[in-house]
Amino acid sequence: MTAHVKPKALDNFKARDFRMLIDGVWADGAGSPLERIAPGHGIVVSRYPAGTTADAERAIAAARKAFDEGPWPNMTGAERSNILLKAADLIAARADDLAFLDCIESGKPISQAKAELAGAADIWRYAAALARDLHGESYNTLGEGTLGVVLREAIGVVSIITPWNFPFLIVSQKLPFALAAGCTTVVKPSELTSGSTLVLGEILIEAGVPSGVVNIVTGTGPEVGAPMTTHPDVDMVSFTGSTGVGRLTMANAAQTLKKVSLELGGKNPQIVFPDANLDEFIDAAVFGAYFNAGECCNAGSRLILHKSIADEVTARVAELARKVKVGDPLDPTTQVGAIITPQHLEKIGAYVDGAAKAGASVALGGAALDLGLGQFMAPTILSGVTPDMPVAREEVFGPVLSVLTFETTEEAIRIANAIDYGLSAGVWSRDFDTCLTIGRKVRAGTVWMNTFMDGASELPFGGYRQSGLGRELGRHAVEDYTETKTLNMHMGARTGWWMPR
């Protein structure tokens, strides 16, 4: 590992001050601003308004009025599509600025942030296409004189709450689809990484989104997030974050029976059989475990290896992981950046220490790294992990890889499913029957076969069990933000036995 050096790009850097967007107007908060200290550089890089419940209520009122009285829900699909396409072009044009904000606020590597921005722009373009494809159904098989039509209408006001680990990418998995359907929105980004979402507000105004359609309120969960989940004028909540907060969100929304979409945690296995292409798997294992410093709901944090290859595979994964470059997030060659907060770094370390005390062996890493500024964690591998250990069952959300073993296919499936989560999984084998068996039997929203953490705008994303409710992306993503309405039409004179004659 090389020593951390403060980049020249930050020598004369001045913290950036942001404002909230409510009803088309940029607004300050009532209290002292929230300061964001860069996790990889140890300096204040952003200040956001500390929004209050009153700010959230003003934003909800603006979104309600924009839906009930404004033009957005009544535009044609083509009109909304054109605005979303313009937004996508503007996102691409400002990608460097957006990536820089995500990099310094979250600690992710700049090269990764730029790749995420390219993916986000593609999602906006895909959502724009779906805005023109949204349609209902008709039934002319209900008998003479009867016609049934099923409409899809925008659900109304949507509260969108996003996490800190993929600030721009995750808001892009929600907001453009809600807009494509004709909804109006209130967005609360994480108070740790609000910068790029607030710049998105500028982009959407420039693209032609009317006032009140997209409102962005910064602040904490209790002050801003809670009223967004309970307010009676909100029709739907779309939340990405921890399973614990997801449960609270669902309970809050139940007070008014709102529709809820949740993308929550994961403890994702990669199951490896002896006939797998190990060269390809080793690379995927290291990528899956340490991408975004493991702060990823989709991280491949559990290796479930056949006993006959476990020692060899663990050694080879450790050999490649030693070559992973941990360091300055602004360095284009960095592969693993900083951990989001000092408190989260301590939490990761506690999982590692607990596993070691329970009998696991630290095959690689296991401790924080002192690189001069910010907080960093060494890529870590724990071998000898058993399915009952917390590190094998709970989401660590850090660069920690747990190695478990199996002897039969049935045992591998049992280990994979013996947790509360079901977001994703991977299987590695040259035998198609083996891959298909795992794909059918493992309870997860996505199962990768001889690859890991691939994705596309066209493919749905979401989880089973406590990994969430609903799906994002894919051709049905816009439909999630709609209600269906039945029109049962009778043509001509109608008679009935109860009518007087």
Side-chain angles (χ1 to χ4, degrees):
M1 306 295 176
T2 57
H4 182 93
V5 178
K6 184 178 179 180
K8 292 182 179 179
L10 295 180
D11 282 347
N12 299 312
F13 179 83
K14 293 183 179 179
R16 190 162 172 177
D17 293 298
F18 290 94
R19 306 173 84 189
M20 298 182 291
L21 179 62
I22 300 178
D23 202 13
V25 177
W26 294 101
D28 294 315
S32 300
L34 302 170
E35 289 189 334
R36 178 57 179 150
I37 297 175
H41 303 105
I43 62 173
V44 175
V45 290
S46 304
R47 298 185 187 91
Y48 323 118
T52 63
T53 297
D55 293 319
E57 290 174 344
R58 285 196 301 122
I60 292 167
R64 184 80 264 165
K65 182 177 181 180
F67 185 80
D68 293 342
E69 303 176 15
W72 188 255
N74 300 312
M75 286 182 178
T76 66
E79 289 170 330
R80 288 197 294 268
S81 177
N82 288 336
I83 292 174
L84 295 179
L85 286 172
K86 186 173 181 180
D89 290 342
L90 292 169
I91 289 168
R94 298 188 64 173
D96 287 346
D97 180 34
L98 293 163
F100 177 80
L101 283 169
D102 277 2
C103 170
I104 59 172
E105 290 185 354
S106 74
K108 68 173 72 250
I110 187 66
S111 55
Q112 177 190 322
K114 289 182 178 181
E116 290 171 16
L117 261 295
D122 182 72
I123 294 172
W124 281 82
R125 293 189 176 102
Y126 183 66
L130 294 181
R132 304 186 69 156
D133 188 55
L134 187 64
H135 60 274
E137 306 162 7
S138 63
Y139 295 86
N140 63 346
T141 57
L142 307 178
E144 185 177 2
T146 301
L147 179 66
V149 175
V150 180
L151 305 180
R152 282 202 172 272
E153 296 183 342
I155 196 168
V157 175
V158 181
S159 288
I160 294 176
I161 302 174
T162 58
W164 47 258
N165 56 334
F166 294 95
F168 199 87
L169 185 62
I170 290 180
V171 75
S172 297
Q173 292 178 184
K174 301 174 182 292
L175 181 56
F177 298 101
L179 296 178
C183 296
T184 59
T185 61
V186 180
V187 180
K188 188 198 104 58
S190 167
E191 62 270 27
L192 300 177
T193 54
S194 299
S196 63
T197 302
L198 291 166
V199 173
L200 176 60
E202 299 173 6
I203 288 171
L204 295 177
I205 291 172
E206 185 177 351
V209 174
S211 296
V213 172
V214 176
N215 305 272
I216 304 171
V217 185
T218 54
T220 64
E223 280 291 325
V224 176
M228 288 172 59
T229 62
T230 59
H231 199 287
D233 281 342
V234 172
D235 301 292
M236 177 179 172
V237 179
S238 180
F239 170 85
T240 294
S242 70
T243 295
V245 180
R247 292 192 195 100
L248 179 61
T249 298
M250 194 170 183
N252 286 346
Q255 297 177 33
T256 49
L257 295 180
K258 303 182 194 309
K259 186 175 184 179
V260 177
S261 175
L262 302 173
E263 198 279 284
L264 307 176
K267 191 67 182 176
N268 313 293
Q270 294 208 61
I271 303 171
V272 188
F273 288 84
D275 66 338
N277 184 326
L278 294 183
D279 290 338
E280 293 185 1
F281 165 71
I282 299 303
D283 182 77
V286 174
F287 171 71
Y290 307 127
F291 173 73
N292 209 57
E295 296 171 328
C296 177
C297 58
N298 246 355
S301 57
R302 289 190 295 161
L303 294 191
I304 303 178
L305 309 177
H306 193 274
K307 280 189 176 180
S308 65
I309 59 170
D311 290 343
E312 174 196 353
V313 169
T314 302
R316 291 185 61 183
V317 171
E319 180 183 6
L320 183 58
R322 288 187 184 94
K323 301 176 182 178
V324 170
K325 183 175 180 180
V326 182
D328 174 19
L330 286 172
D331 183 343
T333 65
T334 291
Q335 295 167 295
V336 173
I339 301 301
I340 190 72
T341 64
Q343 295 78 14
H344 190 59
L345 180 61
E346 290 180 7
K347 177 184 173 183
I348 296 168
Y351 271 108
V352 175
D353 293 342
K357 290 176 182 177
S361 299
V362 180
L364 181 71
L369 295 174
D370 184 1
L371 301 183
L373 288 172
Q375 55 272 345
F376 298 82
M377 179 76 184
T380 297
I381 299 174
L382 299 171
S383 61
V385 174
T386 56
D388 60 307
M389 293 180 182
V391 76
R393 305 184 63 83
E394 300 173 11
E395 190 175 41
V396 177
F397 227 59
V400 177
L401 183 59
S402 297
V403 179
L404 302 91
T405 61
F406 72 95
E407 293 189 76
T408 67
T409 300
E410 292 73 22
E411 184 184 10
I413 293 169
R414 186 168 60 252
I415 293 171
N417 287 337
I419 57 170
D420 294 330
Y421 299 109
L423 188 57
S424 62
V427 55
W428 294 80
S429 172
R430 288 185 171 93
D431 187 286
F432 181 76
D433 288 347
T434 298
C435 289
L436 188 57
T437 297
I438 297 295
R440 294 287 297 271
K441 297 293 185 181
V442 171
R443 302 276 294 169
T446 298
V447 180
W448 287 289
M449 300 180 183
N450 296 313
T451 185
F452 198 76
M453 220 184 290
D454 282 344
S457 300
E458 293 85 353
L459 298 178
F461 174 69
Y464 286 28
R465 295 178 290 183
Q466 293 189 35
S467 286
L469 298 171
R471 294 294 182 269
E472 297 179 341
L473 305 177
R475 60 187 295 264
H476 299 295
V478 172
E479 295 178 3
D480 202 34
Y481 296 95
T482 66
E483 292 274 24
T484 56
K485 176 184 287 183
T486 296
L487 302 182
N488 192 326
M489 298 176 283
H490 186 78
M491 296 166 286
R494 179 183 175 114
T495 60
W497 62 268
W498 65 91
M499 297 291 290
R501 303 199 179 203

